[in-house]
Amino acid sequence: MSGQTRNEQYEQRIGVLTSGGDAPGMNAALRAVVRTAIDKGVAVYAIYEGYKGMVEGGNRIRRMKWEDVGGIMHRGGTIIGTARCAEFRERSGRLTAARNLLEHGIDRLVVIGGDGSLTGANAFREEWSGLVQELAERGEVPPTLAQQHPHLYIIGLVGSIDNDMYGTDMTIGADTALHRITDAIDAISSTASSHQRSFVVEVMGRNCGYLALMSAIATEANWVFLPESPPNTDDWESLMCRELKAGRESGRRESIVIVAEGARDRQGNPIKSDYVKQVLEERLGEDTRVTILGHVQRGGSPSAFDRNMSTLSGYAAVEELLKATPETEAKLVGIVGNRIVSSPLMYCVQQTHAVAEAIARRDYERAMDLRGSSFKEAFATLQTLVRGAPHPPQAGQRRMRIAVLNAGGVAPGMNTAARAATRYALDQGHYVLGVQNGFIGLIENDMREMEWMSVEDWTSVGGAELGTTRKIPTGAELYAIARNIEELQIDALLVIGGSEGYQAVLRLTQERHTFPAFNIPMVCLPATINNDLPGSELSVGADTALNGIVEVVDKIKQSAVASRRCFVVEVMGRYCGYLALMSGMATGAERVYMHEEGITLADLQNDLEHLIRGFRQGKRLGLLIRNEKSHPVYTTAFMSELFATEGKGYFEVRHAILGHLQQGGNPTPFDRIQATRMATHCMQYLIQEDPKPTPGSGFLGRTGASRVYPIEEWPRMVDFAHDRPRSQWWLEICAPIAKALAKPDPDTPMGTVHGFA
Ligand code: ADP
């Protein structure tokens, strides 16, 4: 290997570019592509300024080193720039681009961009052999070089805040954009409510109403206009005014209307924010303001989800590229059901265009079909939740009395779930009892009947309005609960919370033979920041806690610029390492300690040596994230002192125990959306089980599949000693990748540690 880095021995060379509209998370994808390639011994080049840089060549195409992508994950936008490029739309531009790539021996590309960029990439790939031949004939590239690169291999990652791409549940940047929109609308709501004003808020999305729909669910907006599903009447003005008026009459202090920028009516005419304002002012006499959120939606630090999804996708993109053969078609790497998957790129692009075409043809049913069932379901749910009042019950229908309570530690999103559950049930003609303080309220008969407006404004509020406790009823308490269920004629139970709730529901179910009152449908909605419940992949609250941790760790890292410092950050999770690993991946921590992997003295010694070597050679910052229960003896204090003592002279150590800030805060958009969906599914389950002689009792699994597992299965799925699922889906997927990307540069002399973030 003398004088040569590992990379130079290899033939494969990868180019990576960001193109089209920028999106938060592109940097994390870039970092993952660069580091995975280097880790696999492949040379990687960044193509600056998108296709423009590819056409311009020269120093727009630069070999990347491990540390070139350090410390970029928390930054919005893309550090390698992006652009629109008219020349690349022409064959002549693509010919020049091909020459520039060949100059560096690059014939594998990761293109991070929207459907335009990916369409362009595919056109380029299809033409490649012709372009190469022409360049060789013209003498612009040596014939041997042309022969070495007969094919172009393409992997696309979708960078687009609109979430407008078929083939992936989420595009890079969409979750962050939702954060920006939700924060803005939360702020607007508080001022609107103070003045009893109306606001029309315009959000991005030309052909895709994802941001509009999801932000409406996440902010309790009162009306929404989407491109794919216009109001089903030509006189939508009257319909909207009637609903908003009903809302005001039932006590709402403000009206918020969200308009997607591509919104239209059934005839295909655009619905503009200013016109909506005019309608509200003229017909309802409401003081109305318009806010166009614009580019704020694109900006800012990426959310934890965007960083992690981009990291996993970038890693997968390189793996796919390296195993591609001349027969492999261009692929899109995205996320489906929390798993990274690859699909044929052009099929995804065509399906995406099909939505735009359906909208242009005014075939809105087809447009909604193409968006998929969960989009449709979310829209249906929203239409229920935004109502000013519930539908009146149907004549002669059975009206259930459904009790709703929280259990376990507080999780942001509990209120969101309680609100959605309450409104869904009321709209179906049922009664809802809000139980205070979890099972204590059920024992002590501390509950109240919930009305439509009792849960107004609950969506965005952290904490638990109904209160929550870790109480699991036993002995005489079970008797008290049975008596209350009978006296109050409770027909069903929704328990929102963590494992205490699951244990309580299991106990009640097992006691059905002693207490016939327990023979009612019961369901647990997974809500805990720890994400340690079996069946569900992401419990309500985990995303908020994760983002809270990431935000604080970003700040902690910034605080260390001037000194050589190593931080040991302790995060919650009980015995589940989810928060530790995911926050470690999102912040580029070089080491994550989890109970699942254990810690040995040898590990600590190794880590210490690694730190000392790193700081000796110029490293300025160390970041170790430790799950609170990762080891009973090697505690955060112990580790900090050990590292401080042994590392004296090389670096200082500080530790931070993040504590309860992780349970606080308002829920993130994802937690609000997830809580709303799950609550609806839980209510549907309770209603469906009600007529059965032995109604089901269970816990909600993954939404989408909307599976309710019988509660008896819970003990089999849990590792009781550690109160976490026996199998944890994220562990195998994420741990090796997080480790691979945060380790020292494999190409530098033994042990040199660069900025690792
Ligand atoms: P996005 O990728 O965000 O959809 P654009 O549609 O503006 O953004 O595309 C970005 C760039 O991709 C364009 O400026 C152009 O260089 C290239 N591009 C888009 N469509 C094509 C196409 N059909 N053929 C070749 N290049 C294209």
Side-chain angles (χ1 to χ4, degrees):
M1 259 181 93
S2 59
Q4 244 188 356
T5 65
R6 265 181 336 138
N7 298 350
E8 278 157 349
Q9 304 166 56
Y10 289 80
E11 291 302 320
Q12 290 171 330
R13 289 173 181 203
I14 291 180
V16 53
L17 67 151
T18 50
S19 169
D22 67 313
M26 282 180 160
N27 285 331
L30 171 74
R31 170 182 176 269
V33 170
V34 168
R35 291 197 172 174
T36 307
I38 295 175
D39 193 41
K40 290 184 185 291
V42 174
V44 57
Y45 293 76
I47 299 160
Y48 284 70
E49 318 303 336
Y51 291 125
K52 193 161 169 283
M54 203 188 280
V55 175
E56 287 172 6
N59 79 343
R60 296 277 194 222
I61 304 179
R62 279 180 239 163
R63 176 86 180 263
M64 297 299 269
K65 297 193 293 300
W66 191 265
E67 70 268 26
D68 290 336
V69 290
I72 62 169
M73 257 200 299
H74 65 286
R75 291 168 62 179
T78 158
I79 61 154
I80 57 171
T82 181
R84 316 257 180 207
C85 173
E87 290 102 307
F88 194 77
R89 290 180 183 274
E90 309 299 325
R91 189 175 185 281
S92 57
R94 297 195 287 270
L95 189 69
T96 316
R99 193 198 58 210
N100 290 333
L101 292 185
L102 284 175
E103 226 169 64
H104 297 280
I106 300 169
D107 60 8
R108 282 158 213 265
L109 286 181
V110 180
V111 179
I112 310 168
D115 66 335
S117 305
L118 301 180
T119 307
N122 195 62
F124 194 33
R125 174 184 168 275
E126 283 173 354
E127 279 173 1
W128 179 263
S129 56
L131 297 174
V132 171
Q133 201 183 344
E134 188 176 332
L135 289 168
E137 281 164 11
R138 285 203 207 166
E140 291 195 37
V141 299
T144 45
L145 188 62
Q147 278 156 18
Q148 280 165 0
H149 303 285
H151 302 286
L152 179 67
Y153 304 89
I154 301 273
I155 300 292
L157 300 185
V158 196
S160 158
I161 64 161
D162 292 346
N163 205 24
D164 53 355
M165 192 77 175
Y166 188 90
T168 184
D169 289 348
M170 288 297 275
T171 56
I172 295 172
D175 183 62
T176 307
L178 267 183
H179 276 254
R180 299 292 104 79
I181 298 171
T182 304
D183 284 349
I185 300 181
D186 281 353
I188 287 170
S189 294
S190 61
T191 160
S193 162
S194 306
H195 292 270
Q196 302 208 28
R197 266 187 192 133
S198 294
F199 270 84
V200 180
V201 183
E202 186 177 307
V203 303
M204 285 186 169
R206 271 168 299 171
N207 285 313
C208 183
Y210 177 86
L211 292 177
L213 172 58
M214 294 306 165
S215 60
I217 289 180
T219 61
E220 291 193 21
N222 312 108
W223 199 259
V224 64
F225 292 105
L226 309 177
E228 305 88 337
S229 183
N232 57 10
T233 159
D234 285 337
D235 184 16
W236 57 264
E237 293 90 341
S238 302
L239 181 70
M240 172 183 72
C241 289
R242 209 167 44 238
E243 282 299 333
L244 293 183
K245 193 156 171 258
R248 288 292 185 123
E249 281 165 0
S250 47
R252 249 183 222 150
R253 290 184 55 85
E254 82 277 4
S255 305
I256 306 270
V257 176
I258 297 183
V259 183
E261 65 183 335
R264 61 204 77 205
D265 66 16
R266 285 209 81 76
Q267 307 310 325
N269 306 310
I271 295 179
K272 292 284 172 205
S273 310
D274 283 335
Y275 178 63
V276 177
K277 165 185 153 87
Q278 189 189 331
V279 170
L280 296 179
E281 286 185 333
E282 285 173 5
R283 301 207 187 180
L284 296 175
E286 289 186 1
D287 179 8
T288 308
R289 308 290 158 103
V290 173
T291 300
I292 295 173
L293 293 183
H295 282 76
V296 164
Q297 296 165 83
R298 268 191 197 290
S301 187
S303 65
F305 176 84
D306 272 326
R307 298 182 197 191
N308 288 342
M309 180 190 65
S310 301
T311 298
L312 298 172
S313 314
Y315 183 91
V318 173
E319 285 201 318
E320 287 282 344
L321 261 188
L322 297 183
K323 67 176 193 221
T325 63
E327 289 72 42
T328 319
E329 58 188 328
K331 289 204 175 137
L332 177 146
V333 169
I335 188 169
V336 175
N338 298 327
R339 302 294 185 280
I340 301 296
V341 295
S342 68
S343 334
L345 177 72
M346 271 335 276
Y347 177 70
C348 298
V349 170
Q350 280 154 10
Q351 292 295 91
T352 304
H353 290 167
V355 181
E357 285 153 19
I359 293 171
R361 280 200 313 275
R362 289 185 276 148
D363 185 352
Y364 300 116
E365 216 164 289
R366 168 105 180 113
M368 284 299 266
D369 281 344
L370 285 164
R371 281 276 176 254
S373 57
S374 71
F375 189 89
K376 275 201 216 171
E377 185 193 284
F379 191 40
T381 302
L382 177 78
Q383 285 170 321
T384 302
L385 299 181
V386 299
R387 294 177 60 82
H391 283 102
Q394 288 172 15
Q397 83 161 90
R398 169 165 158 78
R399 304 187 68 187
M400 293 169 68
R401 291 168 60 80
I402 305 174
V404 175
L405 67 156
N406 297 321
V410 65
M414 279 181 155
N415 292 327
T416 320
R419 168 187 179 263
T422 300
R423 288 216 169 157
Y424 183 84
L426 293 176
D427 193 57
Q428 298 284 315
H430 304 295
Y431 298 99
V432 176
L433 297 166
V435 182
Q436 287 295 323
N437 297 324
F439 281 92
I440 292 182
L442 208 54
I443 295 164
E444 296 177 356
N445 188 4
D446 185 3
M447 57 190 94
R448 64 193 148 110
E449 192 168 328
M450 305 289 274
E451 286 160 12
W452 195 257
M453 293 307 283
S454 333
V455 289
E456 180 75 1
D457 294 336
W458 277 25
T459 297
S460 58
V461 189
E465 295 288 308
L466 290 173
T468 182
T469 53
R470 296 193 183 271
K471 178 85 198 163
I472 303 166
T474 52
E477 292 162 347
L478 292 171
Y479 174 76
I481 292 179
R483 196 191 55 223
N484 286 332
I485 288 179
E486 275 166 9
E487 277 178 14
L488 296 159
Q489 296 171 0
I490 294 171
D491 298 308
L493 214 56
L494 166 63
V495 180
I496 302 165
S499 70
E500 289 86 354
Y502 287 52
Q503 288 176 57
V505 167
L506 178 64
R507 189 161 297 165
L508 262 53
T509 308
Q510 287 170 337
E511 295 287 339
R512 277 177 167 175
H513 60 281
T514 317
F515 301 101
F518 297 160
N519 200 30
I520 54 173
M522 295 181 258
V523 68
C524 302
L525 185 157
T528 162
I529 64 161
N530 301 330
N531 200 30
D532 58 357
L533 298 167
S536 64
E537 297 209 330
L538 295 168
S539 56
V540 169
D543 187 60
T544 308
L546 181 57
N547 277 286
I549 296 168
V550 168
E551 229 169 84
V552 175
V553 174
D554 281 351
K555 286 184 188 157
I556 289 177
K557 283 171 66 178
Q558 281 173 349
S559 77
V561 281
S563 49
R564 296 201 290 178
R565 200 163 270 182
C566 175
F567 289 98
V568 183
V569 178
E570 179 185 303
V571 302
M572 284 184 166
R574 295 210 269 190
Y575 285 102
C576 171
Y578 179 81
L579 290 176
L581 180 59
M582 291 303 175
S583 62
M585 181 149 79
T587 55
E590 58 198 289
R591 184 71 159 93
V592 172
Y593 298 100
M594 296 182 279
H595 185 270
E596 288 89 341
E597 293 184 339
I599 311 175
T600 63
L601 192 55
D603 287 338
L604 293 179
Q605 189 135 18
N606 232 340
D607 295 341
L608 178 67
E609 282 166 14
H610 170 79
L611 282 169
I612 292 176
R613 257 198 323 263
F615 279 104
R616 249 199 200 142
Q617 298 180 13
K619 175 183 170 71
R620 290 206 324 266
L621 173 71
L623 175 62
L624 316 172
I625 295 193
R626 183 184 174 280
N627 158 276
E628 59 181 348
K629 287 194 184 290
S630 48
H631 198 279
V633 177
Y634 305 143
T635 59
T636 302
F638 173 88
M639 280 171 50
S640 306
E641 282 182 30
L642 175 77
F643 290 156
T645 310
E646 298 290 324
K648 211 174 173 115
Y650 301 112
F651 59 92
E652 290 176 10
V653 179
R654 296 283 184 276
H655 72 260
I657 297 177
L658 300 190
H660 282 79
L661 73 83
Q662 297 161 83
Q663 289 186 330
N666 293 337
T668 55
F670 178 79
D671 273 333
R672 300 184 196 187
I673 294 162
Q674 172 95 327
T676 303
R677 276 193 185 147
M678 285 184 167
T680 313
H681 289 159
C682 284
M683 278 299 162
Q684 285 164 347
Y685 172 76
L686 293 177
I687 294 167
Q688 162 210 309
E689 292 299 306
D690 175 57
K692 299 187 181 166
T694 308
S697 162
F699 56 100
L700 191 67
R702 276 172 62 178
T703 51
S706 177
R707 177 147 184 222
V708 174
Y709 293 86
I711 194 72
E712 291 83 359
E713 278 189 32
W714 179 67
R716 284 193 284 277
M717 294 164 79
V718 169
D719 162 2
F720 270 107
H722 304 111
D723 202 1
R724 69 180 178 223
R726 278 179 198 276
S727 111
Q728 302 195 97
W729 65 275
W730 45 269
L731 194 56
E732 268 177 37
I733 300 176
C734 303
I737 298 177
K739 265 183 211 150
L741 302 187
K743 69 185 183 186
D745 180 355
D747 265 338
T748 46
M750 242 300 273
T752 301
V753 184
H754 294 291
F756 49 81

